Each structure stands twice: as structure tokens, then as C-alpha cells.
Amino acid sequence: DSGVTQTPKHLITATGQRVTLRCSPRSGDLSVYWYQQSLDQGLQFLIQYYNGEERAKGNILERFSAQQFPDLHSELNLSSLELGDSALYFCASSQGVSEGDTQYFGPGTRLTVL
Amino acid sequence: GENVEQHPSTLSVQEGDSAVIKCTYSDSASNYFPWYKQELGKRPQLIIDIRSNVGEKKDQRIAVTLNKTAKHFSLHITETQPEDSAVYFCAAYRGGGNKLTFGTGTQLKVEL
């Protein structure tokens, strides 16, 4: 157990809908990262937050947004869902933004868009 | 941006043999290289990492080597066991925001 929690574990929804994925980082970690992993694909970095502020952006679609709250938990919002958004979404956390902070992954949320 | 290539995409070995997975990176400023193991449907788990001021690091049956000049790093697993079967991802970190770029993964199968 990495100490990173994600809810829900599974999410099934329809095209056009909006969902929110939630992540709580390890105690003491200030950075949160979101990744998307499609079937048989690698890990695609979406976005990073550090202590409430957006720090880095990857291949995140305009339909997706995220935020990190004062208690450091983070939410990833996915809207106007398409079939291709079906994937495993992982959250990871690390202590901060120093050189090569180790990232610890949560168990993931499996999103299925029908 | 950084680009990480990983080979092979699949690797099948006999139990007890060694396995080697290789990665190359493009950005010479990258300075941290972790390796993650991911079992089917589970989270990626860090198994070993290496920083740019070190050439080799070992942890029991696992070792990682780094060649900064050639911009490549490798994962070595000795005396493989069935529980080593998983997908392994390499990654490279470039400073200025803790953004990891992952390789495409290697499916390792250890056969009895």
C-alpha cells in the first residue's frame, strides 16, 4: 500500500457525461500528479499540482480539468466524455518539487464510457 | 520535450535466467531515472531508481545501470522468478517541475 488513495475504484458512465475522480496523497506529500493509462498503453502524464498550484501540464485535453484543494487532495474532472476516454486513471504523489522526487502511485480509477 | 524509448516491448525468459530491459532518453538534462513494475490491473510500483551522479545501483536481484554519455539506462533482473512477470516501465525526469516521462513498457514473462 503506497498511502495514496483514489476513489472510486470503478466508474461506468455514458458518452457526454461528466465525472470527478478523487485522490488523496500520502501524508506529508505536497505534489499530486494525474496519469492516464489506456488499454495496452503506457502512462501518459496529464497534469501536476504542487501545494494547490498547477505546476506542469502534459497531454491533458481541454475537456479535462483538475484542482488541488487546501487539504492537498486533488480532483480530476472529465467532461463531455467520449468512448476513447475509457482508461485507468492514476494519481501519484511526492514530497515536493525537488530533484527527482519519488512518485508513489494510487490504486487507480477504472473509467468505462459506454 | 523528453522522449524515452524502451526495448524490448515483450520479453520471455526461463525461470532462473536473467532479463535485461533497455531505455534511451533524449534530453541530456534528465537526471533521475526510476523503474516501475506494474502487475495486471494494479498500480505501478517503484522497484529501483538511479540518479545521474551514479553509474550503477543494485538491490538484491535487481540492478540498474546508467550511461549518461550514451543517454541510456538498463534494468537487470537476475535469477528470475515467476512473480517477476509483469510490465516494467522506465522513466526519465528532467528538472523544472517534477515531470516524469515514461517509456512504453516491457511485458516480462518468466516461464517455468
Side-chain angles (χ1 to χ4, degrees):
Chain A
D1 186 357
S2 65
V4 180
T5 60
Q6 288 186 249
T7 56
K9 286 186 75 171
H10 302 278
L11 200 47
I12 301 174
T13 188
T15 54
Q17 295 298 303
R18 172 190 170 94
V19 296
T20 297
L21 313 184
R22 183 188 168 102
C23 167
S24 292
R26 295 186 320 154
S27 177
D29 283 0
L30 298 178
S31 276
V32 169
Y33 316 80
W34 286 97
Y35 293 89
Q36 180 192 56
Q37 187 174 41
S38 302
L39 192 64
D40 295 331
Q41 295 292 311
L43 289 151
Q44 297 296 319
F45 169 72
L46 296 178
I47 198 164
Q48 178 208 350
Y49 279 82
Y50 170 72
N51 205 19
E53 300 289 327
E54 182 184 303
R55 183 74 183 187
K57 230 172 183 176
N59 301 321
I60 188 166
L61 299 172
E62 295 265 343
R63 301 184 284 109
F64 295 2
S65 65
Q67 54 184 327
Q68 185 179 28
F69 295 87
D71 67 352
L72 301 177
H73 91 270
S74 178
E75 293 181 356
L76 178 67
N77 300 296
L78 314 177
S79 62
S80 302
L81 285 168
E82 302 175 358
L83 296 177
D85 297 328
S86 295
L88 257 175
Y89 290 84
F90 287 104
C91 162
S93 74
S94 73
Q95 287 185 329
V97 196
S98 62
E99 293 292 310
D101 261 356
T102 299
Q103 294 186 25
Y104 296 91
F105 283 77
T109 293
R110 182 173 293 282
L111 173 66
T112 302
V113 182
L114 301 175
Chain B
E2 175 66 278
N3 182 49
V4 177
E5 293 190 0
Q6 184 172 347
H7 299 280
S9 57
T10 60
L11 179 58
S12 190
V13 300
Q14 294 292 316
E15 183 180 8
D17 287 351
S18 295
V20 180
I21 302 170
K22 299 182 179 182
C23 289
T24 59
Y25 60 99
S26 60
D27 193 336
S28 57
S30 289
N31 55 17
Y32 172 63
F33 307 91
W35 286 88
Y36 286 85
K37 174 184 179 182
Q38 187 179 25
E39 295 175 7
L40 190 62
K42 297 194 175 178
R43 77 186 81 197
Q45 290 188 291
L46 180 74
I47 55 172
I48 196 166
D49 56 14
I50 191 166
R51 299 180 191 275
S52 58
N53 58 347
V54 174
E56 183 175 0
K57 184 176 178 181
K58 270 186 179 179
D59 183 3
Q60 299 183 341
R61 296 186 296 109
I62 294 173
V64 57
T65 58
L66 171 65
N67 183 327
K68 283 190 66 180
T69 304
K71 290 189 283 187
H72 69 68
F73 55 113
S74 300
L75 178 72
H76 304 251
I77 306 174
T78 58
E79 298 170 25
T80 53
Q81 300 167 5
E83 51 265 39
D84 294 329
S85 296
V87 178
Y88 291 81
F89 291 97
C90 63
Y93 162 81
R94 188 191 182 282
N98 199 0
K99 179 178 178 293
L100 278 179
T101 301
F102 283 84
T104 49
T106 296
Q107 173 76 60
L108 173 64
K109 185 176 180 183
V110 180
E111 297 174 331
L112 296 171

